[in-house]
Amino acid sequence: MRIIDAEWEKRNLGVTCYECVVEKPDKLEEVSETIPRLNERDYIVVRIPSVRTDVMPHFQKSGYSFMEAAILLENRLSERTFPKKMGKILEKITWEQMNSEDLKLLYNEIRKGIFKTDRIVLDPFFSKDQAAHRYECWTKDLVKGGDIPYKVAYQGKVVGFFLNKEVKQGVFDGLLAGTYSEYEGSGMGVCIQFAGLEYAREKNGKKYIGHVSANNPAVF
């Protein structure tokens, strides 16, 4: 089991944190013996592969609670597919890299709470403001590192954003995307995801990776 000292969560959430990753070959006995020493931190996140259900009871007995199933999706980008009924709408979608004013709007939308289904916002230990602050800090870190979000517009009106990163040649990771508060429930989420895929195609991408929380079935 890999144990990462997530120092950034002290700034983001005000707590010390370990992020632990259980891997498929890990021996059950070794994982179980490691659990007690994780209490050196205030907040402990454990990521467990779905095939290692044998591990979960050992954490649950130590007071851990299940919060989220994280699902990895891949699009090979070999075909341009989208719901036929959305065709005319998607023709009216544009996207462009954000400038400083666009970023201010993005941070304001994050503070409004556009992310409502992640493990932080659903955890009763944390507040919605803390969850939003964490997303804002993460986004600002990405921008500082040169990964600039793209705003997505429908008929000239900005409806949301996406942030993709080329993690290796031809492989794009959809790190973050969201619909702005005014357009929640409007179906614009489809347009934002479509724009992210098209961006990867424009950059000669061969594969697109998406991360979806089972707490947020609408995004599928």
Side-chain angles (χ1 to χ4, degrees):
M1 180 169 66
R2 290 188 290 117
I3 302 174
I4 303 162
D5 194 356
E7 298 177 357
W8 53 88
E9 297 295 17
K10 185 67 175 176
R11 176 199 63 177
N12 295 347
L13 297 170
V15 294
T16 58
C17 176
Y18 276 144
E19 286 196 1
C20 309
V21 182
V22 176
E23 297 177 314
K24 291 180 182 179
D26 289 344
K27 293 181 179 180
L28 180 60
E29 296 79 9
E30 293 178 357
V31 172
S32 181
E33 290 172 359
T34 303
I35 293 175
R37 72 180 179 89
L38 298 178
N39 292 331
E40 298 168 353
R41 297 292 181 268
D42 303 321
Y43 176 50
I44 305 103
V45 180
V46 184
R47 304 179 191 278
I48 302 174
S50 57
V51 296
R52 293 302 307 270
T53 54
D54 59 320
V55 171
M56 289 192 65
H58 291 265
F59 282 98
Q60 289 170 326
K61 288 176 183 177
S62 298
Y64 288 74
S65 299
F66 175 82
M67 290 301 298
E68 181 179 49
I71 301 168
L72 179 69
L73 302 175
E74 292 185 359
N75 187 310
R76 297 290 177 176
L77 297 176
S78 57
E79 295 183 15
R80 195 165 174 265
T81 59
F82 52 85
K84 290 182 180 179
K85 64 181 181 180
M86 295 294 291
K88 291 184 179 180
I89 293 176
L90 296 177
E91 290 174 358
K92 301 172 185 177
I93 294 297
T94 59
W95 54 93
E96 62 179 300
Q97 196 171 56
M98 290 186 174
N99 58 32
S100 58
E101 290 302 312
D102 296 322
L103 288 170
K104 288 179 182 178
L105 174 60
L106 170 59
Y107 301 144
N108 186 54
E109 288 291 322
I110 291 174
R111 287 191 289 271
K112 286 182 182 179
I114 59 173
F115 297 112
K116 298 179 174 68
T117 59
D118 66 276
R119 59 179 167 84
I120 304 296
V121 75
L122 297 178
D123 191 326
F125 183 83
F126 299 112
S127 69
K128 293 181 179 179
D129 287 342
Q130 283 176 294
H133 177 69
R134 181 173 179 268
Y135 269 108
E136 184 178 353
C137 288
W138 179 28
T139 308
K140 286 180 176 178
D141 285 344
L142 289 167
V143 170
K144 187 176 180 180
D147 298 308
I148 312 299
Y150 278 67
K151 62 181 179 182
V152 180
Y154 172 67
Q155 292 186 318
K157 296 181 179 180
V158 178
V159 297
F161 80 101
F162 68 85
L163 201 167
N164 294 346
K165 184 179 180 67
E166 189 170 14
V167 291
K168 60 182 179 180
Q169 187 172 2
V171 179
F172 286 82
D173 192 333
L175 294 179
L176 197 59
T179 305
Y180 286 172
S181 54
E182 183 181 350
Y183 296 94
E184 289 179 354
S186 67
M188 287 295 106
V190 175
C191 300
I192 292 162
Q193 297 297 333
F194 174 78
L197 288 167
E198 288 297 291
Y199 168 88
R201 287 191 180 92
E202 289 177 352
K203 300 293 184 180
N204 298 314
K206 304 300 180 184
K207 184 167 70 172
Y208 186 87
I209 301 169
H211 310 270
V212 179
S213 169
N215 297 337
N216 185 16
V219 76
F220 282 105

